[in-house]
Amino acid sequence: MSNPFDFTGKVVFVSGGTSGINLGIAHAFASRGAKVAVISRSQDKVDAAVNELKNYGGEVIGFSADVRDYAKIKETLTKTHEQFGLIDILVSGAAGNFPAPAMGMSANGFKSVVDIDLQGTFHVFHSAFEFLTKPGACLINISAPQAYNPMELQIHVCAAKAGVDMITRVAAMEWGAMGIRVNSVAPGPIDDTEGMKRLAASKEARQLVIDSVPLARYGTKQEIADVCLWLASPMASYVTGVILPVDGGWSLGGTSVSSAGMKKALLSKGI
Ligand code: NAP
Ligand code: COA
């Protein structure tokens, strides 16, 4: 059997692929021969990510675009198709987060996160559909434990990511007959990321989070990327509609564990 993790010539599109977990995913595919397109709002971040990813020797393109702008997202997917061909692997990872109690955020604060995470995912999926390899495309949504564990100070993210997971499930049903697989990966607390800098900034807060993880440590960006490689490989050819926690068991304790650890961490920050 040929190497199932050789992605030579495959086309990968990653929304929010210019930093953190999503850039780690882009790295993983680029270093295995894929042609990679990344998008995010900041042109500087796009340029830096494209330069970094080119070190792996493959073809890389990037575009500055806000996932809240459907026309712009359609344009980036059209350009990706023109330059690379049909899209084999689509990762929707653009997201926003800030910790705040429900009554400490405005309607616009709630809307901003829902528009980026949930509406943005719909924009990416909807505008990519005509350019997907059929059969064979693999779509991955980057979700979060907040999608199924209610978490205080995260009402916007909980609502948005729960919706994202429903997009995963419905799209898996509607598009399965066309040979398109759709899954969510839900990372737990991942080291050296903007997300965890915002949610557990201090050493004490970090320890509180670690104490709530059964594997007793943060995860790495590589560990999330590895699961995405597996999902996109022929090894996962019968896997669709799944919400896959990659969280060291963090979500097993549900609200009683993960939310308590996170809440204590956030409160220790004075929020
Ligand atoms: P990050 O580095 O801030 O990644 C977010 C990415 O999305 C950035 O590239 C950002 O770039 C882009 N982005 C934000 N708003 C956008 C918009 N409106 N349009 C287009 N792009 C936008 O954060 P991260 O912590 O690695 O998180 C990455 C993903 O993992 C997210 O989906 C997050 O919910 C999920 N996650 C993270 C953790 C964790 O431990 N960090 C845990 C669970 C789930 P620009 O600023 O240039 O737009
Ligand atoms: N507490 C309460 N409200 C907040 C807030 C906070 N910490 N941070 C932002 N908001 C509110 C703003 O006040 C604003 O509401 P208002 O217009 O009623 O005042 C609303 O959120 C939108 O803020 P704005 O900065 O204009 O939005 P944006 O679209 O430029 O940015 C965010 C979106 C807020 C999600 C921003 O944090 C972001 O760009 N995040 C991307 C990176 C990230 O979050 N990474 C981690 C991913 S898990």
Side-chain angles (χ1 to χ4, degrees):
M1 187 186 183
S2 57
N3 178 1
F5 302 111
D6 178 0
F7 290 95
T8 302
K10 296 284 183 191
V11 177
V12 180
F13 181 97
V14 187
S15 84
T18 63
S19 62
I21 291 171
N22 306 317
L23 178 59
I25 295 167
H27 274 170
F29 285 107
S31 64
R32 286 166 180 80
K35 295 188 264 188
V36 177
V38 292
I39 66 158
S40 80
R41 294 166 300 176
S42 154
Q43 186 68 53
D44 287 349
K45 282 177 73 173
V46 170
D47 292 342
V50 168
N51 284 334
E52 196 178 321
L53 292 166
K54 276 186 176 160
N55 287 332
Y56 295 102
E59 290 178 72
V60 186
I61 52 176
F63 305 101
S64 161
D66 191 320
V67 289
R68 291 170 284 193
D69 180 347
Y70 184 89
K72 189 76 190 168
I73 293 307
K74 188 84 196 177
E75 189 186 309
T76 66
L77 280 149
T78 304
K79 284 185 181 161
T80 301
H81 175 244
E82 282 166 3
Q83 295 186 45
F84 283 170
L86 291 172
I87 295 165
D88 300 295
I89 297 145
L90 179 80
V91 180
S92 174
N97 192 356
F98 55 81
M103 297 313 295
M105 73 178 74
S106 65
N108 192 44
F110 184 89
K111 183 178 186 302
S112 298
V113 169
V114 171
D115 282 354
I116 298 169
D117 296 23
L118 179 56
Q119 188 76 40
T121 294
F122 182 77
H123 288 168
V124 170
F125 272 36
H126 193 272
S127 53
F129 182 78
E130 67 172 303
F131 304 125
L132 296 176
T133 302
K134 304 180 197 76
C138 168
L139 279 52
I140 300 172
N141 275 324
I142 305 303
S143 182
Q146 286 92 322
Y148 37 85
N149 283 353
M151 211 176 274
E152 289 158 273
L153 312 174
Q154 291 281 274
I155 198 167
H156 46 353
V157 175
C158 290
K161 293 289 193 183
V164 167
D165 283 351
M166 273 300 170
I167 288 182
T168 292
R169 293 183 171 117
V170 175
M173 292 180 80
E174 290 194 6
W175 300 346
M178 286 171 256
I180 298 172
R181 295 182 300 111
V182 191
N183 295 289
S184 283
V185 169
I190 302 302
D191 216 359
D192 189 26
T193 59
E194 182 61 27
M196 288 315 293
K197 275 177 207 146
R198 288 175 182 226
L199 297 180
S202 67
K203 210 174 150 205
E204 296 72 29
R206 183 184 161 88
Q207 191 56 49
L208 286 166
V209 173
I210 289 172
D211 290 345
S212 66
V213 178
L215 285 183
R217 64 172 176 86
Y218 274 40
T220 65
K221 287 175 264 193
Q222 185 64 55
E223 286 172 317
I224 303 304
D226 286 346
V227 170
C228 293
L229 290 174
W230 172 72
L231 274 176
S233 81
M235 305 295 277
S237 55
Y238 204 47
V239 179
T240 197
V242 162
I243 315 302
L244 183 55
V246 185
D247 65 357
W250 200 40
S251 51
L252 290 175
T255 306
S256 63
V257 176
S258 56
S259 183
M262 186 66 86
K263 185 184 173 191
K264 274 194 231 155
L266 291 167
L267 291 176
S268 72
K269 224 172 104 182
I271 288 161

